[in-house]
Each structure stands twice: as C-alpha cells, then as structure tokens.
Amino acid sequence: MAQPLVKKDDDYDDEEEYSPFLGIEKGTVLQEARVFNDPQLDTRKCSQVITKLLYLLNQGETFTKVEATEVFFGVTKLFQSRDIELRRMVYLMIKELSPSSDDVIIVTSSLMKDMNSKNDMYRANAIRVLCRITDGTLLTQIERYLKQAIVDKNPVVASAALVSGIHLLQTNPEIVKRWSNEVQEAVQSRAPLVQFHALGLLHQIRQNDRLAVNKLVSSLTRGTARSPLAQCLLVRYASQVASESAANSQTGDRPLYDFLDSCLRHKSEMVILEAARAIAELNGVTSREVTPAITVLQLFLNSPKPVLRFAAIRTLNKVAMTHPMAVTNCNIDMESLISDQNRSIATLAITTLLKTGNESSVDRLMKQITNFMSDIADEFKIVVVDAIRSLCLKFPLKYRSLMNFLCNILREEGGFEYKKVIVDSIVILIRDIPEAKENGLLHLCEFIEDCEFTYLSTQILHFLGIEGPKASDPSKYIRYIYNRVHLENATVRACAVSTLAKFAVMVDSLKPRIYVLLRRCLFDSDDEVRDRATLYLKTLGADGSILENEKDAQEILFGSLDLPLGNLETSLKNYEPSEEPFDLDSVPKEIKSQPLAEKKGSGKKSNGLGAPPITHASSVDAYEKMLRSIEEFAGFGKLFKSSASLELTEAETEYAVNVVKHIFDRHVVFQYNCTNTITEQLLENVNVIVDASEAEEFSEVVSKPLKSLPYNSPGQTFVAFEKPDGVAAVGKFSNMLKFIVKEIDPSTGEAEDDGVEDEYQLEDVEVVAADYMLKVAVSNFRNAWESMGEDGERVDEYGLGPRGSLAEAVHAVIDLLGMQPCEGTEVVPSNLRSHTCLLSGIFIGNVRVLARLSFGLDASREVAMKLVVRSDDETVSDLIHEIISSG
C-alpha cells in the first residue's frame, strides 16, 4: 500500500520524504483500471486509479496501443457518473491519452453533450478536451459552438474557448482567424482573464500584419484595460511597436512612449514593473526617456515584498549596462540590499553597484563584497566575478585591490566553473593591464600549487609559457613550474615540460638551467613526459642553444604556427611516405566553410557538376585542380582564394544558380553553378552575360558556356576577368542567364529539334576587399604581433555611428575585412562597454596582416573604434584603413 506523504520542514530535516506514488507499477495500475467496468461505480476509487495513470504518463511511461485503447474505452464509461470531481479527472485522462481519430468518434458525442450542458464546469472542460483531440474536419462542425462560447457570459467558459483558440491557431489557423469578431468583442469583457486571453489571441491572429497590430495597439492604448494581466500584455505589444517605429525626426518623440510612461502610474504593481522594463529595453533609449522608469524602480527597492525588490533590481541591472550614470541615484538603496536575505537580490545589487560605482567607491564596495561572497552559491559568485573583471577594465588604476580580491577568492573553496571564471578574469586583466602582469602571474603560480583541476593547471602553465618569459624576472617562475613535474599527474607534468622549454627558447640566460631540468625529466614514469623532454632537449642542443638544423622543429614547437590545426591534420593524413619530406607550405591556410552547400530537402539546387569535395582543408586544392584542367584558365597561375557560394536566384524558382568567386593575382573567375528544375525542358548553350560597367578596373577575357543542361542535372559555366596585378580591385557585376529552351516530348523523352532563345535575370555579384583576404589563424597573437615589428604599422580612429550593441559593430568590421578572429575575441560579453578584438589574415600576394581593434560604446549608443594594423607591406596596412574609411 502506498505510504502517506510526510511534509518535510525545519524540525524534521532527518526524516525521509515519501511519495504516495512510491513503487507503483504499470501492470498493477492497469489491473486496477478494471474498476471502470464495474456496474456500481466507486467514484473515489476510480479517481485514484486515474490519478495513478496520469502519474505514470507524466513520468514518461509508455502504453502500448492495446493498453491505451483499453484504458480509453474504460474511461469513456465513466461519463455515466454524475460526480463532478470524477468528470474532471475523465477530461484530464482523455486529453493525456490523445486517442486516435478512430477512437475519437466514440467520445465526441459525450463531449458535445457536455459542451451544451447547463453545468458551466462541464462546458469549459469539454471545450478544452474537444479542441485538443479533434482534427480540422470535426472542428468545422463545432465551430459555431466555439464562437458562442467565446462571447459566453460565464468567464470560465469564455476563457476555455479563447485558450483553445490559441492552441488551435498553431494547427488550424484559417479556422481560428474567422473568429476575429467574437474575439474583438471578448477584448471588451469585464472579466480580467477573458480580456487577457482575448487580447493574446487577437494579437496572434494579426501578428503577421504589422499595420493591423499597430491599429490594435493604438486603439487599446486610448482606453483602459480592466485586467492588469491584459494591461501587461498591451505594454509588451506597445513596446514592440515603439521599437519597430522610428522616432519623430523633428521632436524626437517616440510613438507610444507616452502610453508606456502613463503605465508607470498604474495602480497595479505588475503593470508598473512591466512598463519600466519595456521602457528600459527600447532600442536606443535615451537617459531622458529611461529616468522616469528608474525613479519608479527605486521606490520598489525598499518594498517589503521580495518579488518586487528582485524585479526592480534585475531591471536596474540591465539598465546599468547601457546607462550606468542614470542609475547612480539608486546606489544608496542598492547598497542596503547587499545584506538582503534573498541571495539573488543581493547578488544583483552587488553587480549593479559594480557597474554604476565610481573609482572612489571601489574600495568600499570590495570590503562589502568580501563578507558577502562566503554566503552565496557558486553560480552567484560567477556573476560577481564577471562584474569585478569589467570594473577593473573600467578603472585600470584600481587593478591592485581588484586583482588581490580575485586572487584571494581563488584560494577559497569552490567548484570548477567558479575557479575557471576567476582564472580567465585574471588572465584577461594581465593581458589588458600591463601593470598587473607581475602580481597576477605570481598569484597564478601560487594557485597551481594547490589546484585540484587538471584543466586549470594546464591552462595556467600554457599562459605562463606565453607571458612568463616577458616578465622582468622570469627566473622566479621556474621553481613553480618545475614543481609541477614532480607533484602532479602525467597531463600536467607534460604541460610543465613544454612550458619550461618555452622559457629556454625565449630567455637566453635560463637555457643552461632549464636544460639540466629537462634532462631529469627523461626518467619520468610517463611516456608523454619523457617524449617531450627528449624532443625539446634534441631541439635545444647540449648547451641549451637552438641547433641550426632544428630551426623548423623549433618553429613548430615554440613559434607561432599560422596553420589551422584541422587543415594540418587532414594534410598529414593525406601525406604518402616518400623520399620527399612533408612540406608545411602545402597545408591550406584558409579557414573555409563548405564551398558549395547543396540545399537540403528540395533537391532542386545542387553544387554543380564536378564540384570539388567540401572538406575544409581540401576545398582550395580541389577548386585549383578543377580550374587547371580547363585550358582557358591553366595559365592564370596559383589560385589564391575561392569564396563560399552565393545564391543568385530565389528559392523554388525555375532555374537555380549560385556563383563562386575564384581569386588569382591578375584574374577573377566567376563559376556559375546552374540547375534546371523544369522537367519538360532541356537547356542548351547556357551562358551568363556579365555587365561590368560598374567595375571599371576589370575587363572580360574568357567566357565558357555550358553546352547542355538537362533536368535536375547540375552544370557549370565560367566567366573570367582580368584586373591589375596585385591590386585589390572592387566592383559590381550584373548577370543575365541566356540559353536556348527545347521542349521534351513526354512520350519519348527526347528534346525537340527547334528551340527558343530565352533569358533569366540573376542577382548582382560584388567583388569586395574581403575577397582578397584569407582567414588565417595564429596560435599566439602577441608573439606574432611583436615579431612583425612597427615598420608596417598604421594607426587611426573611426566613428562607426549608432549601433544596437557593441557585438553588432565588432561583427560588422570582421565581415568587412574578411579576417580571422583570434583567441575568441570575436565574442563580446553583453555587459561590456569596451572591447578589444584581434584579427589575422593573409592578403593577396601572401602578405601577412594583423589587426588590433579597440571598440568603445558611449551612452548614446555611438561606437568609436581605434584600428592598429601591422603587415609585412606598409601599403597593405594603408589599404586596410582605406577599406574601413570607405566601408
């Protein structure tokens, strides 16, 4: 027998908690379900059995078709009972079983009878069940009853019909859209829930018609929604309309802002909060517009209700990301929330204060946070650490106290994710604040002495190998690194050996000492550690100097390997052992997506006849091999780059065409991949007529048509242009597909002799500056940057205008330049107002290019950018700046 449920409270912490469903089995419950067939129904027992069946279904238990059918027929017999509670359980059971269309017929008559019952509870539930289990055919039969139910005087029945309409809109939208008049009438209902559900359904019906939505919102904002829930919905819809509409160019007023502002004075707290959140999230909201919302939220910070304090501080936290100065008036109230019993509220208060505080308040905040950190869980600590990192980047002069705080909490108890966030933050501060390097590196060395996480230990050792040799006294880190060789697991020991070798290469004075330490590693118990030590010793030489004949090995082991690892792996797998050694120059340097992506599903668009394999590493080689096999292009030289395919036709059109741009030193070849999607036609003499009037530096030299293009058999036609040697010429090309159409005789499958000339307009193709840049990653950006020197450096600052976010500006510049982001700097945290992005690439002519972009976002959403470019050729550095200024 099932055990009674014992409520667990503070006085019974050690008591075991029992469930009334403990140990029930499907077979036993199905046996108990036979009670549904008893002549004299026991309503209480039947309800208990249905409850158990519902529990099994919600726990993921599956019934076979036979079992489900037997239970369904048994449940339908319970309609003879007049017990209201049992009837509600029957409705639930039928909804959960979701009977097949054949079985639905059996219960439909009973449900329709209940839908017209005088008992409102029967009516409401019957509507819900019918709409859940019926298909479109039966729905048309009961549509009249549903329309009547929507305007029913009983709010329970009306709400049931409206909620059912919301669900049905996903499967039978055409039927539900015919209810607009009744739903419009329900919006004026005095019942709060009816008005709420009616407004939600009416908006969903009109959501694809922007003009209709604007009209709906405008009409309702002139009145007053009686339901606070409906008013919250209206605020959301008004916010959407205001965000999509442009502000008045003369007065600067935003449409519907007055309505949102008036909702800040509503008698319902939920409406006030919804309006404040809506104003704060408006696109490009100004400090003047957001101030009334902040004033209202400040009042809620002192509310006795925890939910209001939480909602207010969470909204202020979001506002502080874009308008920190506007939130400073709330600082005193937020400081009082640091000691709030609700840790979520306290965490949000701390992080908001860190965003809004000034440089003079940092020390006071840090003292409060120190006592606060021990009382919260790791997930809240992570949020605080992220905020502290942002604060340190905002006030770099305060790095000492903030760095000490991070290092102190790093030694405290905590999980992996928490410790990882701290380590990542320290690494970022060391990288972006040079004065913090010595202190930060020493703290990281002390941390790995007791670090229990292998991943963190290896990451710190790797970082030490990059930054440690550049410190003022690199020798003080050797002891910490060598201790890892003796006191850690094999993975960390191997990483420590590599770090020691990096110090030997970069710091001449340490080479003899490290050479001795590496020799000791030859006796390690792990193969990986011994192999690494042997390799490094052979590379370093007996006296610790780099051997002349090991320069290549030294470059691979310690230098900046400007090769995508995936491409290197593929090339090594394809390498066939021979007398000729493996050539690193043969590895493709470009990180590419699939060159010709075949459309899924329709099967009408293809990547073209003889299209090269779509593996990343081999795509350029495959394209080059294909182009060299064509006599007209054989003399163009080495292929520099092939672009991703660009669609020139809309989906589901008669002819599918996409283009790939092949870039050579003096030529650009357009490869048009064509597919004929009409079964009754054969296309012959297919070619693309290209108008280069908007590309003055290009002149057409070769056009290679396609002789025949049968149905669904892809083919290719080419057009080649000559351009000035080594020049990044740009321009726009108009394209017209020309061909001869021949009808296919369906009886014989043969094409008619006579054809008709036809043409088909294609989209334009542009050759842009990014087409002349290869995306090439560097494993160590700082080393690559410093090794390039300042001779080819060019620096300038640019205003990028208003942007929705800092991330939008970063991605726009990356796309414009066509370079490869390094070290994950393309990811912009949402709470930062400044960001540095690192890019690398190879410009046509095999010129290496590195770029450091520093972005800043001000209170008016204007983005400024400082661009520093280094390259092997100063003219390329100038060209990168020209691309930005003209883009």
Side-chain angles (χ1 to χ4, degrees):
M1 183 175 176
Q3 298 291 332
L5 177 66
V6 178
K7 184 179 179 181
K8 188 173 182 179
D9 55 30
D10 294 338
D11 298 329
Y12 296 94
D13 286 343
D14 297 330
E15 293 285 345
E16 187 174 0
E17 194 171 342
Y18 294 97
S19 166
F21 305 107
L22 186 66
I24 67 171
E25 297 179 355
K26 183 178 75 170
T28 305
V29 178
L30 290 175
Q31 289 290 334
E32 294 177 3
R34 295 180 179 178
V35 71
F36 300 156
N37 299 318
D38 291 349
Q40 297 294 325
L41 289 176
D42 184 341
T43 57
R44 185 171 180 274
K45 191 172 182 180
C46 289
S47 295
Q48 290 177 344
V49 174
I50 291 179
T51 302
K52 292 179 181 178
L53 289 167
L54 291 170
Y55 172 79
L56 290 173
L57 288 169
N58 281 279
Q59 291 299 308
E61 191 73 57
T62 56
F63 289 2
T64 65
K65 187 172 182 180
V66 175
E67 292 169 344
T69 302
E70 289 180 356
V71 171
F72 174 71
F73 279 110
V75 169
T76 57
K77 294 179 181 179
L78 300 181
F79 274 104
Q80 60 186 308
S81 172
R82 296 183 177 276
D83 186 86
I84 296 178
E85 296 300 325
L86 178 60
R87 184 66 61 88
R88 295 179 67 184
M89 298 298 291
V90 170
Y91 292 137
L92 283 174
M93 194 66 205
I94 293 174
K95 282 175 64 179
E96 290 297 323
L97 284 174
S98 296
S100 63
S101 56
D102 295 334
D103 298 335
V104 166
I105 303 298
I106 300 168
V107 76
T108 300
S109 58
S110 298
L111 290 172
M112 292 187 69
K113 182 179 177 182
D114 283 356
M115 195 168 65
N116 293 288
S117 169
K118 294 181 180 180
N119 188 318
D120 291 331
M121 189 60 67
Y122 284 4
R123 294 171 61 200
N125 284 305
I127 288 172
R128 288 193 177 94
V129 177
L130 266 175
C131 293
R132 173 70 177 271
I133 66 176
T134 55
D135 56 12
T137 305
L138 183 59
L139 191 61
T140 55
Q141 300 177 22
I142 62 172
E143 183 181 3
R144 178 169 60 88
Y145 300 105
L146 294 174
K147 284 184 176 182
Q148 292 174 355
I150 289 173
V151 294
D152 196 275
K153 293 180 180 180
N154 188 294
V156 177
V157 176
S159 280
L162 290 166
V163 172
S164 298
I166 293 173
H167 292 302
L168 288 171
L169 195 62
Q170 310 302 320
T171 55
N172 297 278
E174 296 305 321
I175 294 178
V176 178
K177 287 178 180 179
R178 296 201 294 259
W179 306 350
S180 292
N181 292 337
E182 288 76 14
V183 177
Q184 184 76 50
E185 184 178 343
V187 170
Q188 307 302 324
S189 172
R190 293 181 176 273
L193 272 180
V194 174
Q195 190 178 44
F196 169 64
H197 291 139
L199 179 56
L201 178 56
L202 190 60
H203 181 267
Q204 286 196 31
I205 291 174
R206 300 182 179 182
Q207 64 182 350
N208 294 324
D209 186 344
R210 183 175 174 180
L211 187 61
V213 170
N214 291 354
K215 185 177 179 181
L216 170 65
V217 172
S218 299
S219 63
L220 291 176
T221 53
R222 288 193 291 269
T224 302
R226 298 179 181 85
S227 165
L229 288 171
Q231 187 75 1
C232 286
L233 265 187
L234 186 56
V235 168
R236 292 185 183 181
Y237 300 152
S239 173
Q240 292 174 6
V241 172
S243 296
E244 293 170 358
S245 305
N248 189 298
S249 57
Q250 296 179 349
T251 64
D253 293 337
R254 190 189 300 269
L256 296 175
Y257 174 80
D258 290 339
F259 167 73
L260 297 176
D261 183 68
S262 67
C263 290
L264 295 174
R265 295 176 290 279
H266 198 275
K267 61 182 179 181
S268 172
E269 293 166 340
M270 74 167 76
V271 175
I272 296 173
L273 284 169
E274 189 68 38
R277 185 183 65 83
I279 291 174
E281 293 180 356
L282 287 173
N283 291 335
V285 64
T286 63
S287 297
R288 180 181 64 85
E289 291 173 329
V290 82
T291 298
I294 293 174
T295 303
V296 171
L297 293 171
Q298 185 176 5
L299 299 176
F300 283 138
L301 292 178
N302 301 306
S303 171
K305 300 178 182 179
V307 66
L308 293 181
R309 297 200 302 274
F310 174 77
I313 191 64
R314 186 176 65 169
T315 305
L316 287 172
N317 186 275
K318 293 180 180 178
V319 175
M321 295 178 185
T322 53
H323 298 85
M325 297 305 298
V327 186
T328 52
N329 293 334
C330 307
N331 281 3
I332 297 176
D333 300 283
M334 289 190 291
E335 286 190 30
S336 65
L337 295 179
I338 295 178
S339 57
D340 197 284
Q341 293 181 349
N342 188 305
R343 295 291 85 185
S344 298
I345 295 175
T347 305
L348 286 168
I350 281 288
T351 54
T352 308
L353 284 167
L354 290 173
K355 295 169 186 173
T356 61
N358 51 38
E359 196 165 0
S360 61
S361 65
V362 170
D363 293 330
R364 186 180 78 254
L365 281 174
M366 298 314 296
K367 290 180 181 178
Q368 292 178 292
I369 295 174
T370 302
N371 300 326
F372 165 79
M373 291 293 282
S374 59
D375 300 330
I376 60 176
D378 278 4
E379 59 264 31
F380 296 128
K381 292 179 181 178
I382 290 173
V383 177
V384 174
V385 170
D386 285 337
I388 290 173
R389 180 186 64 207
S390 301
L391 184 69
C392 192
L393 294 174
K394 183 179 180 182
F395 303 120
L397 295 178
K398 289 292 182 181
Y399 79 89
R400 192 176 299 278
S401 60
L402 295 171
M403 179 71 80
N404 288 338
F405 173 81
L406 291 174
C407 295
N408 289 334
I409 62 175
L410 187 59
R411 299 190 190 96
E412 297 175 358
E413 293 295 324
F416 170 75
E417 290 296 334
Y418 172 49
K419 293 297 181 71
K420 182 178 180 296
V421 169
I422 299 175
V423 171
D424 291 344
S425 298
I426 294 175
V427 167
I428 290 173
L429 297 182
I430 292 173
R431 188 185 67 194
D432 292 354
I433 305 175
E435 296 82 1
K437 178 185 291 186
E438 301 288 340
N439 189 26
L441 288 176
L442 195 58
H443 281 299
L444 288 178
C445 287
E446 293 171 352
F447 169 65
I448 59 173
E449 296 272 288
D450 303 313
C451 181
E452 57 184 312
F453 302 108
T454 298
Y455 174 82
L456 291 182
S457 296
T458 56
Q459 292 301 302
I460 291 173
L461 287 169
H462 175 70
F463 184 68
L464 279 172
I466 298 172
E467 297 293 337
K470 303 172 187 175
S472 59
D473 183 13
S475 60
K476 62 184 176 183
Y477 306 117
I478 299 299
R479 174 174 62 87
Y480 295 100
I481 299 170
Y482 186 64
N483 284 345
R484 299 306 96 212
V485 178
H486 294 289
L487 305 176
E488 290 284 0
N489 57 48
T491 303
V492 179
R493 296 203 306 272
C495 188
V497 169
S498 298
T499 304
L500 285 172
K502 290 178 181 177
F503 271 77
V505 171
M506 300 175 70
V507 185
D508 292 338
S509 60
L510 293 177
K511 287 177 182 177
R513 178 184 173 188
I514 293 175
Y515 182 82
V516 175
L517 298 178
L518 290 177
R519 283 186 62 85
R520 296 176 186 175
C521 298
L522 295 174
F523 304 99
D524 194 273
S525 59
D526 183 72
D527 292 341
E528 176 74 15
V529 177
R530 293 196 304 271
D531 290 346
R532 289 195 185 195
T534 302
L535 177 61
Y536 296 141
L537 284 169
K538 185 176 184 298
T539 305
L540 290 171
D543 59 350
S545 62
I546 301 296
L547 299 179
E548 287 298 325
N549 59 349
E550 297 292 342
K551 288 292 184 181
D552 288 342
Q554 185 259 348
E555 180 64 25
I556 293 176
L557 296 176
F558 311 116
S560 177
L561 184 63
D562 298 338
L563 294 174
L565 294 181
N567 294 6
L568 178 61
E569 180 185 6
T570 302
S571 297
L572 286 170
K573 287 180 178 179
N574 295 334
Y575 172 67
E576 296 180 0
S578 63
E579 295 181 359
E580 294 185 5
F582 179 78
D583 185 8
L584 280 177
D585 293 334
S586 66
V587 180
K589 294 184 177 181
E590 185 180 10
I591 300 175
K592 283 183 62 67
S593 57
Q594 294 182 357
L596 293 168
E598 185 171 0
K599 296 292 181 181
K600 296 181 180 179
S602 67
K604 293 185 178 181
K605 292 189 179 182
S606 175
N607 52 351
L609 182 64
I614 58 175
T615 58
H616 291 203
S618 62
S619 58
V620 175
D621 290 339
Y623 274 134
E624 186 166 22
K625 184 178 179 181
M626 178 190 66
L627 291 171
R628 282 183 177 177
S629 66
I630 301 173
E631 182 180 354
E632 291 86 344
F633 309 140
F636 284 3
K638 184 174 178 59
L639 176 64
F640 174 72
K641 177 182 178 180
S642 294
S643 72
S645 62
L646 173 68
E647 297 296 336
L648 301 184
T649 56
E650 298 290 338
E652 308 299 331
T653 53
E654 301 96 322
Y655 312 109
V657 182
N658 62 60
V659 65
V660 178
K661 294 174 282 187
H662 301 295
I663 309 298
F664 295 85
D665 285 340
R666 297 184 58 191
H667 297 85
V668 173
V669 177
F670 295 118
Q671 172 186 327
Y672 297 93
N673 303 303
C674 310
T675 304
N676 173 19
T677 63
I678 303 177
T679 55
E680 302 85 5
Q681 289 184 357
L682 171 69
L683 306 185
E684 291 185 349
N685 195 24
V686 181
N687 65 330
V688 177
I689 305 301
V690 182
D691 179 5
S693 57
E694 296 184 55
E696 297 178 354
E697 295 183 273
F698 294 85
S699 58
E700 185 175 330
V701 291
V702 176
S703 178
K704 186 172 176 60
L706 179 65
K707 291 182 179 180
S708 176
L709 188 63
Y711 164 70
N712 208 28
S713 178
Q716 296 167 326
T717 177
F718 300 86
V719 180
F721 285 83
E722 188 176 21
K723 68 177 187 64
D725 189 10
V727 175
V730 298
K732 181 187 289 187
F733 300 81
S734 301
N735 304 281
M736 178 73 74
L737 184 68
K738 287 203 170 187
F739 46 84
I740 296 174
V741 180
K742 291 186 176 181
E743 297 295 330
I744 301 293
D745 188 343
S747 58
T748 62
E750 297 293 331
E752 297 179 355
D753 294 334
D754 297 328
V756 179
E757 290 189 3
D758 201 355
E759 59 185 31
Y760 191 84
Q761 184 66 49
L762 304 177
E763 297 289 338
D764 293 345
V765 178
E766 286 191 80
V767 174
V768 295
D771 290 324
Y772 298 99
M773 182 74 72
L774 280 177
K775 291 185 176 182
V776 177
V778 292
S779 57
N780 187 329
F781 186 88
R782 178 165 292 186
N783 283 354
W785 181 265
E786 293 177 355
S787 66
M788 192 167 287
E790 299 181 3
D791 294 339
E793 180 176 293
R794 294 292 184 271
V795 185
D796 207 344
E797 296 182 356
Y798 303 91
L800 303 184
R803 299 278 178 169
S805 65
L806 205 58
E808 179 187 329
V810 171
H811 293 147
V813 175
I814 292 174
D815 293 340
L816 180 62
L817 295 178
M819 299 177 71
Q820 175 66 30
C822 300
E823 301 178 6
T825 53
E826 74 276 15
V827 179
V828 183
S830 58
N831 58 341
L832 291 185
R833 300 179 62 80
S834 61
H835 182 71
T836 299
C837 183
L838 311 175
L839 304 177
S840 68
I842 292 183
F843 196 73
I844 189 167
N846 289 323
V847 180
R848 290 188 306 156
V849 185
L850 298 176
R852 189 192 298 269
L853 301 87
S854 300
F855 295 86
L857 181 70
D858 64 15
S860 61
R861 316 296 293 177
E862 295 279 342
V863 177
M865 180 186 72
K866 179 181 179 182
L867 173 62
V868 186
V869 181
R870 288 185 180 182
S871 72
D872 296 331
D873 185 345
E874 60 185 23
T875 59
V876 174
S877 299
D878 291 330
L879 180 60
I880 298 299
H881 280 280
E882 290 177 13
I883 293 172
I884 294 294
S885 22
S886 62

